[in-house]
Amino acid sequence: MDYAITLIPGDGIGPEVSEAAVRVVDAVCPGIRWRRVDAGASAVETHGTPLPEGVIEAVRETRVALKGPCTTPVGKGFSSVNVALRQALELYVSLRPVDTLPGVKTHHEDVQLVVFRENTEGLYAGMEHEPVEGVVESLRMVSEHASRRFAKFAYEWCRFEGHRKVHLVHKASIMKLSDGLFLDVAREVASDYPFIETDDILIDHLCMSLVLDPTPFDVLVMENLFGDLLSDLCAGLVGGLGLVPGANIGDRYAVFEAVHGSAPDIAGKGIANPIALIRSAAMMLKHIGERDGSARVERAVRTVLEKGEALTGDLGGSATTRQITDAIIREL
Ligand code: NAI
């Protein structure tokens, strides 16, 4: 099949892991034409802005993108490209499957979690101001419309993929209005899916429970900031950020990216683990209908991890990004 897909290599380790993912995808699906565009700190250097208009246009045209991580300066400088992209393209769902992988040492076995994170609202609406000097207000935006479409997507996905247990994650004991609205709307949506067991849980309680024993949980549905934090916690349960893939999905477009960031501490050394982005690319292949190619990539990744001969430093090995990618391609 002949596809055009936007490629946003990103910053830091982004270009290294993107190159790896492209090599793997090309090996199973040679018909893809990559439309490469720059965003993030690299685009500031080349285009004078972190999110050139051409980036949004490219994703609108191809509808699907594979994206490396983009750096966001802390406390000052430009706002997050990642957040802007999700808002501009209405990618209102972030979907992150977190599962135990063969050969990866972890504290718990048989972890099978799916994190659903609302991607457009909450504290990430970016509404902050300083009404008087020394006092800053940050608005936590929750709307019925965004909560409903997000919850609906999560439940439809569960129905389609055969997941039967959802936890709605919140802190409505304190944020009674905002999380209260999210919870009410999500419960209303849940009532249309009586064959899926729904429970709710406070975010703090969930954090402790996951660290002690994640196995009773299946699908976790929550607002933006909680989802951001919990994604990293869950990645830690299965071996770290180098392994966990993700997708940002809306009604018209989808952007696939790993949970991890641009990892400036290891950027440029050729030692980043490309598996998280390669598995994000496998999710992308499934999304565009290349189910066989997607399954082959996922199988090859698992075989390489199980053999343990070409592991990157984060997994206790000494392989480079290129070496582990070569090993995955050999297994395809
Ligand atoms: P990070 O995820 O980049 O790194 C955290 C730790 O995990 C570091 O020690 C890093 O070396 C390690 N790590 C991450 N990915 C790895 C990989 N593939 N292989 C091996 N080790 C890996 O988080 P951090 O340091 O908080 O953020 C760095 C930058 O990334 C920031 O500018 C942040 O805003 C941005 N970021 C971007 C995201 C995106 O584009 N979606 C998501 C998260 C952060």
Side-chain angles (χ1 to χ4, degrees):
M1 289 279 272
D2 183 28
Y3 299 105
I5 288 179
T6 299
L7 175 70
I8 307 170
D11 301 314
I13 60 169
E16 301 162 47
V17 292
S18 301
E19 189 200 326
V22 166
R23 286 183 61 215
V24 170
V25 171
D26 285 348
V28 284
C29 208
I32 287 178
R33 283 174 288 117
W34 298 99
R35 183 163 166 196
R36 194 195 142 119
V37 288
D38 284 330
S42 54
V44 175
E45 285 162 27
T46 51
H47 294 76
T49 165
L51 190 58
E53 191 47 39
V55 175
I56 307 277
E57 270 169 31
V59 185
R60 286 205 174 114
E61 274 172 31
T62 60
R63 295 193 168 224
V64 173
L66 182 65
K67 175 184 167 296
C70 293
T71 298
T72 310
V74 175
K76 55 181 167 43
F78 60 83
S79 340
S80 167
V81 168
N82 310 309
V83 173
L85 207 59
R86 292 166 196 163
Q87 285 170 347
L89 296 167
E90 285 202 77
L91 305 169
Y92 57 87
V93 173
S94 169
L95 162 57
R96 292 160 168 186
V98 181
D99 49 0
T100 298
L101 291 161
V104 180
K105 281 205 193 88
T106 54
H107 292 294
H108 304 285
E109 286 170 13
D110 298 328
V111 178
Q112 299 281 345
L113 298 167
V114 182
V115 175
F116 274 97
R117 163 186 176 189
E118 202 287 326
N119 236 358
T120 59
E121 293 196 325
L123 282 165
Y124 286 65
M127 287 184 269
E128 288 190 322
H129 71 140
E130 192 172 8
V132 289
E133 209 184 319
V135 180
V136 171
E137 283 181 348
S138 193
L139 204 64
R140 188 166 187 265
M141 175 86 183
V142 176
S143 72
E144 186 180 332
H145 165 70
S147 302
R148 189 176 303 283
R149 68 178 177 180
F150 166 64
K152 181 105 188 126
F153 185 103
Y155 275 92
E156 273 301 304
W157 184 91
C158 289
R159 187 173 69 86
F160 190 71
E161 296 286 338
H163 288 257
R164 292 291 174 261
K165 192 167 179 189
V166 169
H167 278 88
L168 303 171
V169 185
H170 64 95
K171 191 73 184 179
S173 50
I174 304 297
M175 291 172 283
K176 293 182 195 296
L177 281 185
S178 53
D179 266 12
L181 175 62
F182 169 72
L183 202 52
D184 284 349
V185 172
R187 278 191 190 127
E188 215 179 291
V189 171
S191 68
D192 290 334
Y193 300 81
F195 46 87
I196 297 173
E197 185 188 336
T198 297
D199 208 343
D200 63 86
I201 185 164
L202 290 166
I203 177 76
D204 39 357
H205 183 179
L206 176 66
C207 288
M208 183 207 60
S209 305
L210 284 172
V211 171
L212 285 177
D213 179 14
T215 48
F217 297 96
D218 179 4
V219 177
L220 306 169
V221 176
M222 69 206 81
E223 65 87 58
N224 210 336
L225 176 65
F226 294 163
D228 190 5
L229 305 181
L230 214 80
S231 297
D232 277 33
L233 186 152
C234 290
L237 297 173
V238 294
L241 286 166
L243 298 169
V244 179
N248 302 294
I249 305 174
D251 292 332
R252 295 171 68 87
Y253 314 108
V255 175
F256 295 81
E257 66 177 335
V259 173
H260 66 70
S262 55
D265 52 339
I266 55 166
K269 296 181 180 166
I271 57 168
N273 187 347
I275 285 180
L277 194 63
I278 289 172
R279 296 183 77 208
S280 307
M283 288 174 75
M284 179 191 81
L285 289 175
K286 187 174 172 191
H287 180 84
I288 63 172
E290 292 287 341
R291 285 180 166 265
D292 180 53
S294 168
R296 282 177 62 204
V297 171
E298 188 62 31
R299 265 200 311 274
V301 165
R302 284 169 189 265
T303 307
V304 166
L305 289 172
E306 197 164 19
K307 285 187 176 173
E309 290 160 4
L311 302 181
T312 42
D314 56 319
L315 300 175
S318 57
T320 61
T321 309
R322 178 158 273 274
Q323 285 165 338
I324 192 170
T325 309
D326 288 343
I328 292 167
I329 292 171
R330 271 197 303 275
E331 294 297 338
L332 284 171

mmCIF file of all heavy atoms in Angstrom, residues 25 37 56 72 81 107 137 140 159 181 226 255 265 273 283:
data_model
loop_
_atom_site.group_PDB
_atom_site.id
_atom_site.type_symbol
_atom_site.label_atom_id
_atom_site.label_comp_id
_atom_site.label_asym_id
_atom_site.label_seq_id
_atom_site.Cartn_x
_atom_site.Cartn_y
_atom_site.Cartn_z
ATOM 1 N N VAL A 25 9.899 0.486 10.307
ATOM 2 C CA VAL A 25 8.647 0.570 9.538
ATOM 3 C C VAL A 25 8.922 0.297 8.058
ATOM 4 O O VAL A 25 8.188 -0.462 7.405
ATOM 5 C CB VAL A 25 7.970 1.953 9.722
ATOM 6 C CG1 VAL A 25 6.809 2.124 8.758
ATOM 7 C CG2 VAL A 25 7.491 2.112 11.159
ATOM 8 N N VAL A 37 9.009 17.025 8.769
ATOM 9 C CA VAL A 37 8.904 18.445 9.148
ATOM 10 C C VAL A 37 9.518 18.638 10.535
ATOM 11 O O VAL A 37 9.483 17.727 11.355
ATOM 12 C CB VAL A 37 7.429 18.942 9.173
ATOM 13 C CG1 VAL A 37 6.867 19.077 7.776
ATOM 14 C CG2 VAL A 37 6.547 18.027 9.998
ATOM 15 N N ILE A 56 1.514 21.692 11.236
ATOM 16 C CA ILE A 56 0.081 21.396 11.377
ATOM 17 C C ILE A 56 -0.503 21.031 10.010
ATOM 18 O O ILE A 56 -1.260 20.081 9.868
ATOM 19 C CB ILE A 56 -0.674 22.632 11.943
ATOM 20 C CG1 ILE A 56 -0.023 23.123 13.239
ATOM 21 C CG2 ILE A 56 -2.160 22.354 12.105
ATOM 22 C CD1 ILE A 56 -0.427 22.398 14.475
ATOM 23 N N THR A 72 10.697 21.257 25.890
ATOM 24 C CA THR A 72 9.992 22.468 26.324
ATOM 25 C C THR A 72 10.822 23.127 27.415
ATOM 26 O O THR A 72 11.118 22.481 28.424
ATOM 27 C CB THR A 72 8.599 22.134 26.914
ATOM 28 O OG1 THR A 72 7.910 21.281 26.013
ATOM 29 C CG2 THR A 72 7.781 23.385 27.137
ATOM 30 N N VAL A 81 5.300 22.577 22.484
ATOM 31 C CA VAL A 81 4.877 22.220 21.132
ATOM 32 C C VAL A 81 3.945 21.013 21.185
ATOM 33 O O VAL A 81 2.983 20.910 20.421
ATOM 34 C CB VAL A 81 6.122 21.864 20.283
ATOM 35 C CG1 VAL A 81 5.728 21.207 18.973
ATOM 36 C CG2 VAL A 81 6.960 23.084 20.048
ATOM 37 N N HIS A 107 9.802 -5.176 39.152
ATOM 38 C CA HIS A 107 9.353 -5.607 40.485
ATOM 39 C C HIS A 107 8.099 -6.470 40.412
ATOM 40 O O HIS A 107 7.816 -7.234 41.311
ATOM 41 C CB HIS A 107 9.061 -4.384 41.367
ATOM 42 C CG HIS A 107 10.311 -3.625 41.707
ATOM 43 N ND1 HIS A 107 11.307 -4.140 42.495
ATOM 44 C CD2 HIS A 107 10.735 -2.388 41.353
ATOM 45 C CE1 HIS A 107 12.286 -3.264 42.615
ATOM 46 N NE2 HIS A 107 11.961 -2.186 41.923
ATOM 47 N N GLU A 137 -2.152 32.843 39.083
ATOM 48 C CA GLU A 137 -3.318 31.959 39.003
ATOM 49 C C GLU A 137 -3.181 31.060 37.782
ATOM 50 O O GLU A 137 -2.804 31.521 36.710
ATOM 51 C CB GLU A 137 -4.606 32.782 38.859
ATOM 52 C CG GLU A 137 -5.067 33.398 40.148
ATOM 53 C CD GLU A 137 -6.359 34.179 39.970
ATOM 54 O OE1 GLU A 137 -6.769 34.425 38.818
ATOM 55 O OE2 GLU A 137 -6.927 34.562 40.990
ATOM 56 N N ARG A 140 -7.660 25.506 35.932
ATOM 57 C CA ARG A 140 -7.822 24.081 35.606
ATOM 58 C C ARG A 140 -9.168 23.926 34.904
ATOM 59 O O ARG A 140 -10.215 23.948 35.505
ATOM 60 C CB ARG A 140 -7.802 23.253 36.891
ATOM 61 C CG ARG A 140 -7.779 21.761 36.665
ATOM 62 C CD ARG A 140 -7.423 21.079 37.966
ATOM 63 N NE ARG A 140 -7.213 19.668 37.804
ATOM 64 C CZ ARG A 140 -8.150 18.742 38.014
ATOM 65 N NH1 ARG A 140 -9.352 19.102 38.390
ATOM 66 N NH2 ARG A 140 -7.865 17.472 37.866
ATOM 67 N N ARG A 159 -14.618 -1.613 24.546
ATOM 68 C CA ARG A 159 -15.584 -2.531 23.944
ATOM 69 C C ARG A 159 -14.939 -3.247 22.755
ATOM 70 O O ARG A 159 -14.995 -4.464 22.649
ATOM 71 C CB ARG A 159 -16.811 -1.741 23.465
ATOM 72 C CG ARG A 159 -17.959 -2.594 22.965
ATOM 73 C CD ARG A 159 -19.173 -1.728 22.675
ATOM 74 N NE ARG A 159 -18.960 -0.871 21.519
ATOM 75 C CZ ARG A 159 -19.183 -1.237 20.254
ATOM 76 N NH1 ARG A 159 -19.638 -2.431 19.999
ATOM 77 N NH2 ARG A 159 -18.965 -0.399 19.270
ATOM 78 N N LEU A 181 -17.201 17.199 37.865
ATOM 79 C CA LEU A 181 -17.837 17.207 36.541
ATOM 80 C C LEU A 181 -17.302 16.058 35.687
ATOM 81 O O LEU A 181 -18.070 15.310 35.063
ATOM 82 C CB LEU A 181 -17.581 18.550 35.834
ATOM 83 C CG LEU A 181 -18.090 18.665 34.399
ATOM 84 C CD1 LEU A 181 -19.595 18.525 34.339
ATOM 85 C CD2 LEU A 181 -17.664 19.994 33.776
ATOM 86 N N PHE A 226 -2.952 14.355 35.706
ATOM 87 C CA PHE A 226 -2.844 13.046 36.365
ATOM 88 C C PHE A 226 -2.322 12.003 35.374
ATOM 89 O O PHE A 226 -1.505 11.144 35.707
ATOM 90 C CB PHE A 226 -4.204 12.590 36.908
ATOM 91 C CG PHE A 226 -4.755 13.432 38.022
ATOM 92 C CD1 PHE A 226 -6.107 13.347 38.357
ATOM 93 C CD2 PHE A 226 -3.955 14.298 38.749
ATOM 94 C CE1 PHE A 226 -6.634 14.109 39.382
ATOM 95 C CE2 PHE A 226 -4.472 15.076 39.774
ATOM 96 C CZ PHE A 226 -5.820 14.980 40.088
ATOM 97 N N VAL A 255 -1.445 11.243 16.066
ATOM 98 C CA VAL A 255 0.004 11.447 16.146
ATOM 99 C C VAL A 255 0.559 10.428 17.144
ATOM 100 O O VAL A 255 0.151 10.406 18.309
ATOM 101 C CB VAL A 255 0.336 12.889 16.597
ATOM 102 C CG1 VAL A 255 1.840 13.044 16.796
ATOM 103 C CG2 VAL A 255 -0.181 13.903 15.578
ATOM 104 N N ASP A 265 20.070 14.348 28.693
ATOM 105 C CA ASP A 265 21.261 13.767 29.350
ATOM 106 C C ASP A 265 21.966 12.712 28.498
ATOM 107 O O ASP A 265 23.151 12.448 28.691
ATOM 108 C CB ASP A 265 20.885 13.182 30.734
ATOM 109 C CG ASP A 265 19.696 12.225 30.703
ATOM 110 O OD1 ASP A 265 18.891 12.278 29.745
ATOM 111 O OD2 ASP A 265 19.572 11.407 31.625
ATOM 112 N N ASN A 273 17.258 4.167 23.922
ATOM 113 C CA ASN A 273 16.469 2.985 23.583
ATOM 114 C C ASN A 273 15.364 3.395 22.594
ATOM 115 O O ASN A 273 14.487 4.195 22.934
ATOM 116 C CB ASN A 273 15.837 2.420 24.868
ATOM 117 C CG ASN A 273 15.138 1.111 24.629
ATOM 118 O OD1 ASN A 273 14.905 0.722 23.497
ATOM 119 N ND2 ASN A 273 14.807 0.422 25.709
ATOM 120 N N MET A 283 1.905 0.768 16.736
ATOM 121 C CA MET A 283 0.513 1.208 16.962
ATOM 122 C C MET A 283 0.007 1.976 15.744
ATOM 123 O O MET A 283 -1.143 1.856 15.342
ATOM 124 C CB MET A 283 0.435 2.107 18.212
ATOM 125 C CG MET A 283 0.620 1.382 19.528
ATOM 126 S SD MET A 283 0.677 2.537 20.929
ATOM 127 C CE MET A 283 -1.050 2.996 21.101
#
